Amino acid sequence: MSRQVGLFLFKNDLRIHDNLALATAAAEVDQLICIYCLEPKQPPSSLRAPSNLSPHRQFFLQQSLTDLHQSLKNLGQQLMVTNDSPLDIIPQLITQHNIGHIYCSEAAGYYERLNWQRLIKRYPFIGFKSITTHTLFEIAELPFPIAELPDSFSKFRKLTEHLSIKLPQPKLASMPPSPAVFIPWPDPSPIKVDNLLFEGGEQRALAHLKNYFNSELASTYKETRNGLEGMDYSTKFSPWLANGCLSARQILRVLHAYEHHKGANDSTYWIYFELLWREYYQLYAHRHGKKLFSFSGLKLTKPATSFYPERFQKWCNGNTPYPIVNAFMKQLNSTGYMSNRGRQLVASCLVHELGLNWRYGASYMEQQLVDYDVASNWGNWQYLAGVGADPRGHRRFNLTKQTQIYDPKGDFIKKWGGDNFDSQLDSVDAADWPISRS
């Protein structure tokens, strides 16, 4: 009997716990090739140079892949990492190893799903399986078709927050071996990272999950979640969630155990509330596909904003007339991270105070954030720009009032040098600047 050879394409699921797609592949084939492609996952989604990722993003991913490779080695497997696109490397492996089955975790990103469909059309004789691992619910479990996803989070929450959620899958105990195939890892360029807040990888994710719920922080989360700096004001699960080192179901299981032993309150519910917000944007990306990156978003008319290069550069560098925004942007550039409150304020500033095309802001965050997630990032930017899932339209924050509430003594601004800026926003008349494509 011929041996069944399969291929598993890792994407944003860099773990061996609660990975149903990987478990399915391991159970159905005799030999398995595990591969990760470093090429940018959504090149047309952004307006930046695709390879220009921040050192923090690169370093976190590098750590996560190294950790996954070690976990696979412990199971007699190996992880192959390549700079090639899946559309280039997978055909080579199909020919070389007579691959009959290809697996992956379902992706929220439109362009990832497009590439997957291209492979399916190109190889109709191969069995393809894409399995949900990045959400709390499977689409088939929802009380509505994905085409009828509610147009606001509040409507979605009312329909879903009481639904039962499956328990996470156990850690893989064994895997089929890899065939005799060797693809050397790309030589990593030296990455210099200062102000390292997060270490990548499933092991660090599990350690953080355990440490967070061993503390009492979950019981005060709702009161502290709008903090600006530090590791304790919010859960800080997002970098590992974004890279798939940790699943939403794993978090929810430990949250429920915490509530059982230490008591449930508004704060513990609010952690679930935030997981539902993330869930909504994952489904939002599935539902709206390419529109996630459209200037007009879900609306019929385009925003009354444009692209002014000098203003955008000053926003990126934290050199605007708004000290709180400057402080957040300098924090982001230095650490690869920013609080949720900060993300709202800098986005509001870019769109409403500076009059800039929101997609350039979303693209810059894609480049910088260590917890970049295509659905949450682009969905939230649409929300702030008034072209997404918000029936009330634009979300404009009073930056002076926000500063008084969240940094009343100016400590955060002072630490990050937010009050050091060029008093002149525009050095030339805006009419002289080119208008970007929309």
Side-chain angles (χ1 to χ4, degrees):
M1 182 181 296
S2 62
R3 300 183 66 80
Q4 295 292 315
V5 181
L7 180 145
F8 188 86
L9 177 62
F10 278 100
K11 292 183 286 191
N12 294 93
D13 58 341
L14 307 182
R15 63 183 186 272
I16 61 172
H17 290 76
D18 193 32
N19 194 334
L20 180 58
L22 183 61
T24 301
E28 292 184 351
V29 298
D30 303 304
Q31 294 181 321
L32 185 65
I33 298 171
C34 296
I35 191 166
Y36 182 91
C37 298
L38 284 167
E39 52 85 38
K41 297 303 182 294
Q42 295 91 17
S45 77
S46 75
L47 307 178
R48 59 163 170 78
S51 61
N52 189 24
L53 300 184
S54 71
H56 290 91
R57 273 204 70 184
Q58 294 181 52
F59 192 67
F60 191 94
L61 176 59
Q62 188 179 95
Q63 288 182 311
S64 300
L65 293 173
T66 300
D67 181 88
L68 176 61
H69 181 54
Q70 184 58 54
S71 295
L72 293 174
K73 281 182 67 176
N74 293 341
L75 297 174
Q77 254 289 343
Q78 60 177 319
L79 178 66
M80 297 164 193
V81 178
T82 175
N83 284 319
D84 292 326
S85 163
L87 295 177
D88 295 327
I89 188 64
I90 290 179
Q92 297 177 35
L93 294 172
I94 289 173
T95 301
Q96 293 169 5
H97 300 283
N98 194 27
I99 291 170
H101 306 273
I102 299 180
Y103 305 83
C104 76
S105 290
E106 190 172 22
Y110 171 78
Y111 294 101
E112 286 181 320
R113 286 185 277 129
L114 186 62
N115 283 343
W116 183 251
Q117 291 302 318
R118 286 171 176 165
L119 285 170
I120 291 174
K121 290 180 180 179
R122 191 182 297 181
Y123 298 100
F125 54 89
I126 288 179
F128 286 83
K129 282 191 179 180
S130 176
I131 298 173
T132 301
T133 65
H134 64 297
T135 56
L136 294 170
F137 309 111
E138 295 179 15
I139 289 177
E141 298 171 336
L142 295 171
F144 47 79
I146 190 65
E148 297 177 13
L149 178 73
D151 59 5
S152 72
F153 168 71
S154 60
K155 294 177 184 177
F156 169 78
R157 178 176 63 85
K158 290 175 183 177
L159 292 172
T160 60
E161 67 178 338
H162 299 300
L163 295 178
S164 60
I165 296 171
K166 293 177 181 177
L167 291 173
Q169 294 284 311
K171 174 184 175 181
L172 277 174
S174 63
M175 290 190 70
S178 174
V181 55
F182 176 72
I183 301 175
W185 283 37
D187 290 331
S189 301
I191 303 174
K192 179 174 170 47
V193 177
D194 297 320
N195 298 315
L196 182 65
L197 298 181
F198 304 97
E199 294 182 44
E202 183 177 19
Q203 300 311 309
R204 294 303 306 165
L206 295 174
H208 179 71
L209 180 66
K210 179 180 179 180
N211 291 339
Y212 182 80
F213 284 109
N214 278 346
S215 72
E216 305 291 331
L217 294 172
S219 296
T220 57
Y221 170 76
K222 190 175 181 183
E223 290 74 42
T224 64
R225 65 193 173 89
N226 279 314
L228 306 187
E229 191 166 37
M231 291 299 291
D232 292 343
Y233 68 83
S234 65
T235 64
K236 299 298 188 299
F237 296 135
S238 60
W240 294 289
L241 269 175
N243 289 270
C245 305
L246 189 66
S247 75
R249 289 181 183 177
Q250 287 176 286
I251 296 172
L252 190 60
R253 181 185 62 178
V254 182
L255 171 62
H256 286 163
Y258 178 94
E259 290 179 321
H260 177 75
H261 290 100
K262 297 188 179 182
N265 62 12
D266 285 348
S267 286
T268 58
Y269 165 76
W270 216 257
I271 294 175
Y272 177 50
F273 179 90
E274 299 289 1
L275 287 174
L276 284 178
W277 252 119
R278 175 185 178 275
E279 188 81 1
Y280 180 67
Y281 277 127
Q282 302 303 311
L283 297 171
Y284 182 89
H286 280 281
R287 166 67 182 86
H288 298 293
K290 201 173 182 179
K291 285 186 178 180
L292 191 65
F293 314 114
S294 168
F295 184 40
S296 56
L298 310 187
K299 308 302 181 183
L300 298 177
T301 58
K302 296 178 180 179
T305 55
S306 187
F307 179 61
Y308 307 123
E310 185 176 17
R311 290 187 185 185
F312 178 63
Q313 198 61 41
K314 287 187 174 182
W315 179 84
C316 292
N317 294 334
N319 189 23
T320 74
Y322 309 99
I324 191 68
V325 171
N326 297 340
F328 281 126
M329 295 306 294
K330 290 179 178 179
Q331 179 192 42
L332 171 66
N333 294 335
S334 178
T335 67
Y337 188 79
M338 186 193 302
S339 67
N340 182 63
R341 177 60 49 175
R343 297 178 201 206
Q344 292 178 318
L345 298 189
V346 301
S348 178
C349 176
L350 180 131
V351 173
H352 303 299
E353 312 306 328
L354 304 182
L356 293 169
N357 180 333
W358 67 269
R359 296 189 304 165
Y360 285 86
S363 180
Y364 189 71
M365 292 297 183
E366 179 177 351
Q367 174 184 328
Q368 295 293 326
L369 285 170
V370 71
D371 62 351
Y372 169 74
D373 172 276
V374 61
S376 296
N377 182 70
W378 289 82
N380 270 303
W381 271 92
Q382 286 194 349
Y383 182 83
L384 265 296
V387 297
D390 185 0
R392 289 174 288 183
H394 286 238
R395 290 286 178 140
R396 184 172 188 172
F397 289 89
N398 183 316
L399 297 177
T400 300
K401 182 178 179 181
Q402 293 289 308
T403 302
Q404 293 169 349
I405 294 173
Y406 295 106
D407 193 26
K409 297 181 180 179
D411 294 337
F412 181 75
I413 290 174
K414 182 178 180 180
K415 174 178 178 178
W416 292 103
D419 48 5
N420 298 323
F421 58 89
D422 183 355
S423 59
Q424 184 176 14
L425 179 61
D426 300 326
S427 63
V428 296
D429 189 284
D432 294 332
W433 296 340
I435 304 299
S436 76
R437 61 181 176 84
S438 60

